[in-house]
Amino acid sequence: MIKFYYSLAPNPMKVALFLEEAGLPYEPVPVDTRKGEQFSPEFTALNPNNKVPCIVDGDATVFDSNAILLYLGEKTGKFMPANTPKARGELFSWLMFVASGVGPYSGQAVHFTRFAPEPKEYAVNRYVFEAKRHYGIVDARLAQRPFMLGDAYTIVDMALWGWARLVPFVLGEDALAGLPNLKRLLDVIDARPAAARALAIKDRHSFKTEFDEEAKRHMFRHTVKAA
């Protein structure tokens, strides 16, 4: 059985979504990053970068959320595009776009607008602009197709969902009104039973919900602590 080390941050939640969508048996292992459990010797042995999520699948240990999605997608053959150069090129490009752009800029935007002890105008402007720009690219992409890679729901949509569901917190309560195609995708994913089950993982352990202000403050105070 897969061991899934997680918190309620955006990146672990996208892995939770895949696990539920694919119907894979897994053991959720909470890592309370508010208490620094990610720095324990036991967890460091799994991920020397001290971040969640991480999975242990038999002899394989995989960390970084998008690497986990790719690993599980290839292992199961589920929620993957056609095995053609064109489709795989799009898969890798958009999966890395989420990993290197959407996630980091969203996290830094929240950090500097809400939690930095001395917010700097330059940093706020830079990261909010880049977060908006990245979500704008996604919205334009979704204007032409139902899902990020075309007609089929894939791991790229799951990777995006982890962060995009928090757009109102990242960019303001009205931000999704300006991103109608992204909102459509979020509504489609949120309506899936697997999404409800993934979000309900918080009820299995003593975490506060991801919408709790203290949990959010910790989640984004040091945005580099979730991969």
Side-chain angles (χ1 to χ4, degrees):
M1 180 179 293
I2 294 171
K3 283 192 174 183
F4 171 44
Y5 295 82
Y6 78 100
S7 72
L8 298 178
N11 289 316
M13 293 309 297
K14 51 177 116 155
V15 175
L17 178 60
F18 183 97
L19 291 167
E20 292 293 345
E21 289 281 17
L24 291 173
Y26 69 96
E27 176 189 351
V29 182
V31 179
D32 195 335
T33 57
R34 293 170 299 161
K35 297 178 180 178
E37 291 178 357
Q38 72 274 32
F39 297 108
S40 70
E42 294 79 11
F43 189 77
T44 299
L46 300 175
N47 182 2
N49 206 23
N50 303 107
K51 299 178 183 181
V52 288
C54 177
I55 65 168
V56 176
D57 181 22
D59 292 335
T61 299
V62 190
F63 56 84
D64 188 278
S65 59
N66 284 25
I68 295 170
L69 290 177
L70 188 57
Y71 169 84
L72 292 174
E74 290 188 336
K75 174 181 175 174
T76 63
K78 295 182 178 181
F79 306 106
M80 296 288 281
N83 188 18
T84 65
K86 179 180 185 299
R88 288 182 67 78
E90 290 185 341
L91 167 68
F92 293 140
S93 295
W94 288 106
L95 193 61
M96 295 308 109
F97 176 85
V98 175
S100 65
V102 170
Y105 283 115
S106 295
Q108 294 291 356
V110 170
H111 174 78
F112 282 104
T113 57
R114 295 177 180 265
F115 302 124
E118 296 181 5
K120 302 297 184 183
E121 183 179 1
Y122 175 81
V124 169
N125 291 339
R126 169 175 170 73
Y127 289 114
V128 170
F129 173 84
E130 284 295 330
K132 287 181 178 178
R133 187 178 72 83
H134 279 74
Y135 285 116
I137 292 170
V138 167
D139 194 70
R141 171 84 176 172
L142 290 170
Q144 305 299 323
R145 50 190 57 78
F147 297 102
M148 286 297 292
L149 299 187
D151 294 331
Y153 174 50
T154 70
I155 62 171
V156 175
D157 304 295
M158 297 180 198
L160 179 63
W161 174 84
W163 281 98
R165 67 192 181 87
L166 295 179
V167 160
F169 186 68
V170 175
L171 296 177
E173 291 298 323
D174 298 329
L176 281 174
L179 300 164
N181 303 300
L182 176 59
K183 184 180 185 305
R184 170 186 54 76
L185 177 65
L186 290 174
D187 289 344
V188 168
I189 297 176
D190 286 342
R192 296 177 68 88
R197 293 194 299 270
L199 292 171
I201 197 172
K202 67 181 181 293
D203 299 328
R204 304 189 195 184
H205 301 286
S206 59
F207 287 129
K208 296 182 179 181
T209 75
E210 67 269 36
F211 298 107
D212 178 272
E213 288 304 314
E214 181 183 343
K216 282 181 179 177
R217 184 172 296 110
H218 182 83
M219 182 189 305
F220 291 106
R221 183 181 297 120
H222 301 295
T223 57
V224 296
K225 286 192 177 180

